[in-house]
Amino acid sequence: CLENTDPRTRGRGIQLLSQVLLQCYSLLQEKEVLHLVLFYENRLQDHHLVIPSVLQGLRALSMCEVLSPGLAVSVLKAIFQEVHVQSLMQLDRHTVYSIITNFMGTREEELKGLGADFTFGFIQVMDGEKDPRNLLVAFQIVHDLITKNYTLGPFVEELFEVTSCYFPIDFTPPPNDPHGIQREDLILSLRAVLASTPQFAEFLLPLLIEKMDSDLQSAKLDSLQTLTACCAIYGQKELQEFLPSLWSSLRREVFQTASEKVEAECLAALHSLSACLSRSVLSSDTEDLLDSFLGSILQDCRHHLCEPDMKLVWPSAKLLQAAAGASLRAYHRVTRSVLPLLLEQYTKHPQSSQRRTILEMLLGFLELQQKWGHVEEDESTLLSLRAPICSVVFSALTDPSVQLQLVGIRALIVLGSLQGFLSPSDLELVVDHLIRLALHEEDSQSSEAAMEAAGSLAPLYPKVFSGRMVPRLEEELQSEREEESSRDHCSLQQRCLQALAAVSIHTSIVRETVPVLLQHLRKVQKGSKARNTQDVVSVCQSLHRVALQCQQDAEGCWYYHQTVVPCLLAMAVQAATQESTHPLLGKALLEEEVLAAMVPVISAATTHLSPELAAQSVSHVVPLFLDGEVSFLPQNSFPCSFQPFEDGECLEAQRRLVVLLMAFVCSLPRNVAIPQQERLLRELLALSCSCNCPFTATTAAKCFAGLVNKHPAGQQLDEILQLAVNRMEPGLAEGPRRTQALTLLLWVRPALDAGRGERQGGRPGADSALPAQVTKALVLRYHPLSSRLTDKLLGLLGDVELGPAAADGFSLLMAESPDVLHKDCHADVRIMFRQRFFTDNVPKLVQGFHGAGPDVKANYLKGLSHVLNHLPKPVLVTELPTLLSLLLEALSCSDRVVQLSTLSCLQPLLLEAPQIMSLHVDTLVTKFLSLASSPTMAVRIAALRCAYALTSLPTTVLLPYKARVIRALAKPLDDKKRLVRKEAVAARGEW
């Protein structure tokens, strides 16, 4: 074939040889490679039909490691001389680029020996290339030519022209493009070339200025982003000639553009120009271009800051800030001119709205100083203007305008963060203003912002805040003002508590605030007023915030734990033992709402303890509950002994405190040993099964579940679980405590599988979590017993009495647990436990539904909707075809919980699986419109949201229903509830 006179036949022969070489090039010897290279070079002079196969062979040889010196140069010279590359097909042109890339990677020094001839040869190869696949490779070759210092010689302009002709990139990938090349890929690749060398500057900058003036937004953006990239490598010399034109274009765009994107890119480019000029090293005979450039900017922008109509105030301020933020030198140059002017304008303009604008601009310049930290005394404009700046900010804090106050508070935070700026007297004024705003400002926005500001500044000035702010807050908290109404006094106390929590960031401040909060807690729990419960809850909420803020500091965390936890336990034990002897005293601390508020405080104080300190603490707390050992508690003289696990009606109040034990032991790290754990588990198990109080029974079950979840696997765990099952099964079968047995079942099941806590409270069904607790504890850690307990739960769905509660138990199993079985409490939660639970149990739920009687079918639907509602959406989408009919049937169920859960499940599916949902559009439209008139507000809202989500289905599917839906959605526009009307407006508008 190779010697045949027919070019097609010769081509087939060379093609076969090239295909063989592509398979075995790594096995060739040096002499063989030499012989083949000479053959292939000679074939480049053959008929054009042969050339593609020749190039494939050369590509194989270019990958050989045993290529003799000089052969790479020889091959490239032959290609440059013999092949008109741009007349070839796309694939063959790509082969040429691959050969060049291979040689540049392995024979760099040889190619550099060609000098500028290599650059010129490549320019000829690339000139006229149009295919995006080839351009990506070609751009990379040009980038390597420049960055690896190949000789460009006299061909700099030609190399620029052959690449810049593609700027700006105008490419839209075809639909279903198998190559996956995006416009952005080409843009970034070309930008890397254009911004790779200062030698292109004299050609590129005029091009960029021209494209900035284009009407195409994409061209403007590309030009501005390329200019920003170039500034990283350019110097003063490259920019000098073009600075006036560049500034003119940037200024015009910022002053005139309606596009936020273009404005942002202009400001970024100006920042980069200023930074580039700031980097230039000045010699004695060169002009300071930064100074003159900033002078032009100030000249064109400064006067706009004084205009009464303030039209161009913000664009001018943004330009000045962009230039000033590039370097400390630029910052000093701009602020020296601008800050005195802004301060003067603030005084001149009496209107709050104008003052707010001016202060926001001033704030922008102050924030720039934060980049450089400490304020330098010798050259800072800021220090010389300290008095007027503080005066302006303080005046804003006392202005009646809330919006101006908010900007003033933000400015206060920035001034405080500038090390060395505020004097001691200024700091005292700052604290006074923050106290006034936090406690006495009517508008809640200003009050909350002041508290946040106090929280930001307190760690920077702990002595000032602990010495001045905390005593003032304590004084306000303890004051009893006769002239104030009870409501006003309550609001003031609430704000004092919030402010104390907000500043408790630094350990030294925590040591001051925590005793104040605890003292106030003792005070309010002793009173007999009706608001006591809410007051105690408010203190607990503040203590919880402090606990969260202490968690990352080991010293603060331990101080907080050993101060707060014993104090809370002591007050609760005092109240419970008093209740046993004097039923009217200490009542507030025994309320479910108060105990529930204490749980996160104790939990947050415990989760981040080191194992050593946690072990020290647990050695006191567990004996307190098991043996009544109160010696470690402060003020430990109680009316009677503390025995929460003993029998007796008079001990009911003491048993309620098991919730505090739960908060503590279930938050301990897993590697902390709990003393007398087996006894504790047995006591909790007995209490959860025998207690008449739903609240106590549920918390005992949750505590049992939390401990079981973390218990090491082994015989002890198996024994305690078997004991729990033995207690539950007879209880579930019959008798007065079936609901409590179910509660225990639910919690222990997820404790072994993956976990979530559940509603506390004595509503019907709140105690139905007991068997659930055990089940959940096991589900979370994939314990073998969890499947047996889940089957037990599935069986209860067919029970007329317990079925609804068992169905709700599936929500408990699948959802996150706020107080016991979650990762922050160190629970053993395995990844993907929900998916596993779904795979194991949904087929059983579906089967049970089909075989159930009409009176219990709703239980299966409710259980299913709870499972699906907590399943990750990608998993649900894959299972949708088999489950959709059941979900649609669930919408017809009269149970509002089923309806609500199903709607919340369907809404995201309409967005994520439109093709499948389109098949059932008729049913969906009917169901959603029907439920939009439900008597339950939450169901109406969910149905309207689903009606809105329907509009994401293909238009052709929706058009037949358009008129009907718009008519039907007119009714909820007049709904008596504002939230329903809001959703109706959105849905109807979209239709």
Side-chain angles (χ1 to χ4, degrees):
C1 288
L2 296 179
E3 295 178 340
N4 196 289
T5 54
D6 178 26
R8 285 184 174 78
T9 306
R10 286 201 307 281
R12 282 199 298 275
I14 294 172
Q15 182 183 24
L16 174 60
L17 177 59
S18 296
Q19 287 171 343
V20 170
L21 289 176
L22 282 167
Q23 296 293 324
C24 69
Y25 64 86
S26 61
L27 308 176
L28 297 174
Q29 297 174 14
E30 187 175 344
K31 285 184 180 179
E32 293 168 337
V33 173
L34 173 62
H35 190 72
L36 287 163
V37 166
L38 294 175
F39 167 74
Y40 272 107
E41 278 184 13
N42 181 267
R43 290 301 89 201
L44 284 173
Q45 301 171 19
D46 203 335
H47 194 279
H48 68 88
L49 292 174
V50 174
I51 299 301
S53 299
V54 174
L55 292 172
Q56 288 293 343
L58 287 172
R59 180 166 76 88
L61 295 171
S62 72
M63 293 186 279
C64 290
E65 293 181 7
V66 294
L67 199 70
S68 302
L71 285 184
V73 170
S74 172
V75 168
L76 289 181
K77 277 185 174 179
I79 290 175
F80 293 159
Q81 187 174 337
E82 302 295 344
V83 182
H84 184 244
V85 175
Q86 288 306 315
S87 65
L88 300 174
M89 301 291 285
Q90 178 272 326
L91 181 62
D92 303 325
R93 300 198 305 275
H94 193 277
T95 303
V96 174
Y97 296 127
S98 298
I99 294 168
I100 296 172
T101 301
N102 291 340
F103 284 145
M104 287 179 75
T106 58
R107 298 290 188 271
E108 183 177 321
E109 293 307 317
E110 289 181 39
L111 300 191
K112 284 182 177 177
L114 273 171
D117 289 346
F118 176 56
T119 304
F120 180 66
F122 177 73
I123 290 170
Q124 288 180 307
V125 166
M126 182 183 171
D127 193 9
E129 181 59 68
K130 292 185 175 60
D131 191 277
R133 292 164 287 182
N134 291 349
L135 283 173
L136 280 178
V137 186
F139 289 155
Q140 185 59 50
I141 292 172
V142 178
H143 185 263
D144 290 344
L145 277 174
I146 295 167
T147 56
K148 293 182 178 177
N149 298 314
Y150 284 77
T151 305
L152 304 185
F155 303 115
V156 173
E157 186 173 359
E158 284 79 0
L159 188 61
F160 172 77
E161 292 295 339
V162 84
T163 50
S164 65
C165 62
Y166 301 101
F167 184 86
I169 294 288
D170 181 22
F171 167 68
T172 304
N176 305 317
D177 178 18
H179 308 291
I181 295 174
Q182 299 298 316
R183 179 171 174 268
E184 191 66 18
D185 300 329
L186 290 165
I187 288 173
L188 294 175
S189 189
L190 176 57
R191 185 176 302 151
V193 171
L194 297 178
S196 60
T197 173
Q199 295 181 74
F200 283 168
E202 61 179 303
F203 316 115
L204 178 59
L205 290 173
L207 175 64
L208 294 180
I209 292 167
E210 176 195 333
K211 298 302 179 185
M212 276 187 228
D213 300 340
S214 160
D215 293 331
L216 280 174
Q217 179 172 311
S218 60
K220 288 182 193 287
L221 291 171
D222 203 353
S223 303
L224 291 163
Q225 289 163 351
T226 303
L227 174 61
T228 301
C230 290
C231 287
I233 63 157
Y234 285 4
Q236 188 163 297
K237 181 181 73 172
E238 286 79 23
L239 291 173
Q240 184 167 7
E241 180 188 345
F242 304 100
L243 281 174
S245 300
L246 287 168
W247 164 238
S248 174
S249 295
L250 292 172
R251 181 190 63 211
R252 185 187 62 252
E253 287 301 327
V254 173
F255 280 169
Q256 296 177 4
T257 187
S259 164
E260 288 184 10
K261 282 184 182 177
V262 172
E263 181 188 85
E265 293 300 340
C266 284
L267 297 174
L270 180 59
H271 179 92
S272 299
L273 283 170
S274 181
C276 179
L277 296 174
S278 300
R279 284 195 303 271
S280 300
V281 179
L282 297 178
S283 55
S284 57
D285 58 342
T286 55
E287 179 191 358
D288 184 354
L289 274 187
L290 176 65
D291 192 69
S292 56
F293 182 60
L294 294 175
S296 302
I297 297 173
L298 285 164
Q299 183 182 341
D300 290 343
C301 294
R302 193 174 182 274
H303 64 277
H304 289 305
L305 305 181
C306 310
E307 291 172 355
D309 59 1
M310 297 185 118
K311 275 185 182 173
L312 292 176
V313 158
W314 268 119
S316 301
K318 287 176 181 177
L319 287 165
L320 288 165
Q321 287 167 8
S327 68
L328 193 53
R329 190 153 66 100
Y331 180 74
H332 289 319
R333 174 72 176 88
V334 173
T335 52
R336 198 162 56 238
S337 172
V338 171
L339 289 189
L341 178 66
L342 290 175
L343 293 168
E344 179 190 332
Q345 291 299 307
Y346 185 92
T347 312
K348 276 186 180 178
H349 289 86
Q351 294 171 325
S352 294
S353 59
Q354 292 175 321
R355 285 190 159 191
R356 176 187 160 201
T357 301
I358 294 164
L359 186 56
E360 281 184 325
M361 288 189 287
L362 181 64
L363 176 59
F365 286 103
L366 293 175
E367 285 172 335
L368 291 177
Q369 174 68 51
Q370 288 179 301
K371 280 185 177 183
W372 297 286
H374 189 75
V375 182
E376 299 291 340
E377 292 187 23
D378 54 345
E379 52 179 327
S380 173
T381 311
L382 279 184
L383 280 180
S384 63
L385 296 171
R386 173 160 56 196
I389 288 174
C390 287
S391 173
V392 161
V393 173
F394 292 154
S395 78
L397 298 176
T398 55
D399 194 274
S401 164
V402 172
Q403 296 307 314
L404 182 53
Q405 284 178 14
L406 292 173
V407 181
I409 291 168
R410 283 166 50 208
L412 207 58
I413 296 172
V414 175
L415 292 181
S417 69
L418 298 176
Q419 191 182 352
F421 184 81
L422 293 174
S423 67
S425 59
D426 290 333
L427 278 170
E428 290 183 358
L429 265 175
V430 166
V431 171
D432 292 344
H433 278 297
L434 290 176
I435 292 172
R436 177 183 56 78
L437 289 166
L439 301 187
H440 304 295
E441 178 56 47
E442 286 185 17
D443 188 89
S444 61
Q445 273 184 292
S446 293
S447 174
E448 289 167 13
M451 289 183 202
E452 284 183 29
S456 299
L457 296 176
L460 303 176
Y461 307 100
K463 286 185 180 178
V464 180
F465 277 83
S466 60
R468 189 172 183 87
M469 190 167 192
V470 175
R472 290 274 301 278
L473 292 172
E474 181 180 9
E475 185 184 322
E476 291 281 2
L477 197 58
Q478 292 175 349
S479 64
E480 293 286 350
R481 305 187 183 188
E482 293 180 8
E483 69 274 13
E484 285 183 336
S485 70
S486 172
R487 184 176 177 183
D488 290 341
H489 183 63
C490 188
S491 173
L492 177 64
Q493 286 202 339
Q494 191 90 342
R495 287 189 175 189
C496 283
L497 293 170
Q498 290 169 353
L500 282 166
V503 297
S504 302
I505 304 288
H506 194 276
T507 302
S508 64
I509 304 175
V510 172
R511 290 178 182 275
E512 302 294 329
T513 55
V514 164
V516 174
L517 290 168
L518 293 176
Q519 182 59 37
H520 185 65
L521 182 60
R522 290 188 193 97
K523 175 185 169 185
V524 296
Q525 66 104 8
K526 285 177 184 174
S528 57
K529 296 179 181 176
R531 71 162 192 263
N532 267 17
T533 298
Q534 188 51 49
D535 284 347
V536 176
V537 169
S538 298
V539 181
C540 289
Q541 287 169 344
S542 291
L543 284 169
H544 180 230
R545 180 173 176 182
V546 178
L548 294 175
Q549 290 164 184
C550 289
Q551 284 181 339
Q552 302 310 317
D553 175 58
E555 181 191 349
C557 185
W558 177 234
Y559 165 78
Y560 182 92
H561 181 88
Q562 64 179 352
T563 306
V564 174
V565 173
C567 183
L568 290 182
L569 289 173
M571 281 191 276
V573 170
Q574 180 78 31
T577 51
Q578 280 180 342
E579 178 77 4
S580 304
T581 53
H582 306 88
L584 295 178
L585 296 175
K587 188 71 175 172
L589 278 181
L590 301 175
E591 294 286 338
E592 287 181 20
E593 186 181 355
V594 172
L595 290 171
M598 286 183 171
V599 167
V601 178
I602 294 174
S603 180
T606 307
T607 52
H608 283 65
L609 288 181
S610 67
E612 297 76 24
L613 295 175
Q616 188 178 324
S617 190
V618 76
S619 67
H620 296 303
V621 176
V622 171
L624 167 68
F625 282 86
L626 286 179
D627 305 314
E629 179 54 62
V630 297
S631 57
F632 81 102
L633 297 178
Q635 303 166 344
N636 52 20
S637 58
F638 303 119
C640 66
S641 59
F642 181 59
Q643 300 170 316
F645 290 115
E646 296 294 323
D647 294 331
E649 286 186 23
C650 62
L651 299 177
E652 182 55 50
Q654 296 187 19
R655 285 195 280 271
R656 295 168 81 80
L657 301 194
V658 170
V659 72
L660 305 183
L661 173 68
M662 174 198 79
F664 176 78
V665 295
C666 292
S667 302
L668 292 168
R670 253 184 277 174
N671 56 352
V672 174
I674 295 172
Q676 306 181 68
Q677 184 168 9
E678 304 313 312
R679 177 186 164 196
L680 178 59
L681 284 167
R682 290 171 188 274
E683 295 285 13
L684 289 166
L685 180 59
L687 185 61
S688 65
C689 292
S690 62
C691 182
N692 293 320
C693 171
F695 175 79
T696 304
T698 300
T699 52
K702 289 164 79 170
C703 189
F704 180 84
L707 292 173
V708 162
N709 174 261
K710 296 180 191 176
H711 199 296
Q715 186 180 352
Q716 284 186 327
L717 177 62
D718 294 341
E719 286 175 1
I720 198 71
L721 287 174
Q722 190 56 51
L723 183 62
V725 171
N726 293 343
R727 293 291 293 265
M728 281 186 286
E729 287 185 338
L732 288 170
E734 57 186 0
R737 301 193 188 279
R738 296 186 75 203
T739 309
Q740 284 162 263
L742 174 60
T743 307
L744 182 61
L745 168 67
L746 285 170
W747 275 103
V748 177
R749 162 69 175 81
L752 299 186
D753 229 49
R756 108 121 187 144
E758 89 104 1
R759 300 184 304 273
Q760 293 183 6
R763 291 179 307 221
D767 55 348
S768 71
L770 259 172
Q773 320 294 25
V774 185
T775 309
K776 179 157 185 125
L778 304 183
V779 166
L780 290 178
R781 58 184 282 185
Y782 297 163
H783 191 280
L785 184 59
S786 64
S787 57
R788 177 182 163 190
L789 296 179
T790 307
D791 289 342
K792 177 71 69 178
L793 188 62
L794 286 164
L796 290 172
L797 292 174
D799 187 292
V800 176
E801 180 190 352
L802 289 182
D808 283 331
F810 282 91
S811 175
L812 185 151
L813 294 180
M814 296 293 287
E816 287 296 328
S817 171
D819 50 6
V820 183
L821 295 171
H822 63 97
K823 286 192 173 181
D824 290 343
C825 286
H826 311 289
D828 185 1
V829 180
R830 305 299 172 88
I831 60 169
M832 299 178 70
F833 80 89
R834 291 185 180 85
Q835 289 91 316
R836 177 168 173 164
F837 186 87
F838 171 87
T839 305
D840 290 347
N841 297 296
V842 164
K844 298 176 186 175
L845 274 169
V846 174
Q847 184 182 357
F849 169 80
H850 289 305
D855 52 341
V856 293
K857 271 187 181 288
N859 298 337
Y860 289 91
L861 287 176
K862 185 191 284 191
L864 178 67
S865 63
H866 284 317
V867 173
L868 299 183
N869 214 21
H870 292 97
L871 200 65
K873 292 300 173 279
V875 179
L876 186 52
V877 168
T878 59
E879 302 291 340
L880 189 58
T882 57
L883 296 172
L884 190 54
S885 58
L886 266 181
L887 285 172
L888 295 175
E889 193 163 343
L891 289 177
S892 305
C893 180
S894 58
D895 188 312
R896 64 182 178 80
V897 177
V898 177
Q899 293 172 349
L900 196 56
S901 186
T902 308
L903 288 169
S904 60
C905 184
L906 286 171
Q907 185 190 348
L909 295 175
L910 288 163
L911 305 173
E912 294 173 30
Q915 299 306 320
I916 300 170
M917 303 302 272
S918 296
L919 302 175
H920 302 270
V921 65
D922 190 71
T923 309
L924 290 169
V925 168
T926 304
K927 301 280 189 189
F928 294 159
L929 294 181
S930 170
L931 291 173
S933 304
S934 165
T936 306
M937 183 181 80
V939 173
R940 297 200 299 277
I941 290 174
L944 289 167
R945 286 177 179 164
C946 286
Y948 182 100
L950 273 175
T951 58
S952 62
L953 301 185
T955 307
T956 49
V957 174
L958 299 176
L959 280 175
Y961 304 93
K962 178 179 171 181
R964 173 187 165 193
V965 173
I966 291 174
R967 267 198 314 276
L969 292 181
K971 182 183 175 185
L973 292 177
D974 290 328
D975 197 279
K976 59 186 177 183
K977 296 293 185 181
R978 181 183 62 82
L979 294 175
V980 177
R981 296 196 299 272
K982 178 184 170 186
E983 297 295 341
V985 167
R988 193 167 187 265
E990 199 66 21
W991 273 90

